[in-house]
Amino acid sequence: MFRETESPEVHQVLYGSANLSVPIYSGGRIKYGIESAKYLVEASKLSTENNKIAVAYNVAQAYNNLFKANQSIKVLEENLAASQKRDETFLKMENNGLIARNDRLKANLQTSNIELQLLEAKNNYNIANINMDLLLGIPETTEIEVDQNYIDEGDEVKPVDFYVNEAKENRKDLQALDKQRQAAALGTKAAKAENLPSVAFTGGM
């Protein structure tokens, strides 16, 4: 009596295969890629820092404009007060026959010009105040008080070269650009490395 041998079905067959490949030399592509990525990360950090500096610079400039507008108003108000006092003196002198009417009118015209300059200075101050409010993110109607002691003469003024070097060392945008250039140089090396042969250890079972 013969027993029929059953053939295994497809789903009962197990087939396994594993391959492993470890690069030994790839022409420097991996090394250059990692180095390039590091420089790009540094460039990104510096760019972010530069954006913060740019905001601070804009706020400082806006405050400078506000301060200058405020000082202009003070100077013009002093000039106007002196001019109005002169007008009173000239009027008395004219009444006493000491000066001609035309001389008094010329003085009055100068006073009117100062009044116009003062109006313009106040308008500039209001615009500078609104710009400052917008930069600070506060209501446009907020009036900012200017520190009258904002500008003090420095005790020590250094040569121009010192400030130029300081700018080069502290400008984050220039530092970010330098990092991007380094990353680009490594990218070029990585591209050239594509033409070099690659060596890898491969094993399978």
Side-chain angles (χ1 to χ4, degrees):
M1 183 176 180
F2 296 99
R3 183 177 295 174
E4 227 174 274
T5 305
E6 295 180 0
S7 300
E9 296 181 13
V10 176
H11 70 272
Q12 294 176 322
V13 178
L14 177 66
Y15 174 77
S17 176
N19 289 313
L20 176 67
S21 179
V22 179
I24 298 174
Y25 177 73
S26 58
R29 289 192 297 274
I30 296 175
K31 176 187 173 184
Y32 294 141
I34 293 172
E35 292 287 333
S36 178
K38 286 180 180 177
Y39 283 125
L40 289 174
V41 169
E42 286 297 318
S44 177
K45 288 179 181 177
L46 289 168
S47 294
T48 301
E49 188 66 25
N50 182 58
N51 290 338
K52 292 178 183 177
I53 292 173
V55 171
Y57 174 79
N58 288 336
V59 172
Q61 285 295 96
Y63 188 80
N64 286 339
N65 291 336
L66 187 66
F67 181 83
K68 286 188 287 186
N70 177 264
Q71 294 302 301
S72 295
I73 291 173
K74 286 179 64 179
V75 170
L76 287 169
E77 283 177 341
E78 290 173 2
N79 291 345
L80 181 60
S83 187
Q84 288 172 340
K85 200 167 188 180
R86 183 191 59 197
D87 288 348
E88 291 174 5
T89 302
F90 276 27
L91 180 60
K92 289 176 182 177
M93 292 174 70
E94 181 193 355
N95 292 336
N96 292 326
L98 298 174
I99 62 170
R101 185 168 182 270
N102 283 345
D103 292 334
R104 181 183 64 80
L105 292 176
K106 285 178 183 178
N108 290 155
L109 181 60
Q110 289 179 355
T111 303
S112 297
N113 287 335
I114 294 173
E115 288 174 344
L116 289 174
Q117 291 172 13
L118 181 58
L119 286 174
E120 185 179 357
K122 287 181 176 179
N123 185 52
N124 290 337
Y125 177 84
N126 290 334
I127 292 172
N129 195 95
I130 291 171
N131 287 338
M132 192 73 189
D133 290 341
L134 291 174
L135 278 172
L136 296 176
I138 58 180
E140 296 177 20
T141 54
T142 305
E143 187 171 351
I144 297 171
E145 185 177 350
V146 175
D147 181 5
Q148 300 302 328
N149 299 318
Y150 174 58
I151 294 181
D152 291 320
E153 264 192 52
D155 295 331
E156 183 183 352
V157 179
K158 297 183 180 179
V160 175
D161 290 343
F162 171 81
Y163 298 106
V164 172
N165 292 329
E166 281 287 300
K168 287 180 180 177
E169 289 177 9
N170 296 317
R171 279 192 58 177
K172 302 300 180 183
D173 55 340
L174 294 180
Q175 294 176 25
L177 184 61
D178 183 56
K179 295 294 181 185
Q180 289 170 354
R181 283 174 179 165
Q182 293 179 46
L186 287 169
T188 302
K189 289 183 179 179
K192 289 179 179 177
E194 292 288 342
N195 297 323
L196 298 175
S198 297
V199 178
F201 171 77
T202 303
M205 58 178 290

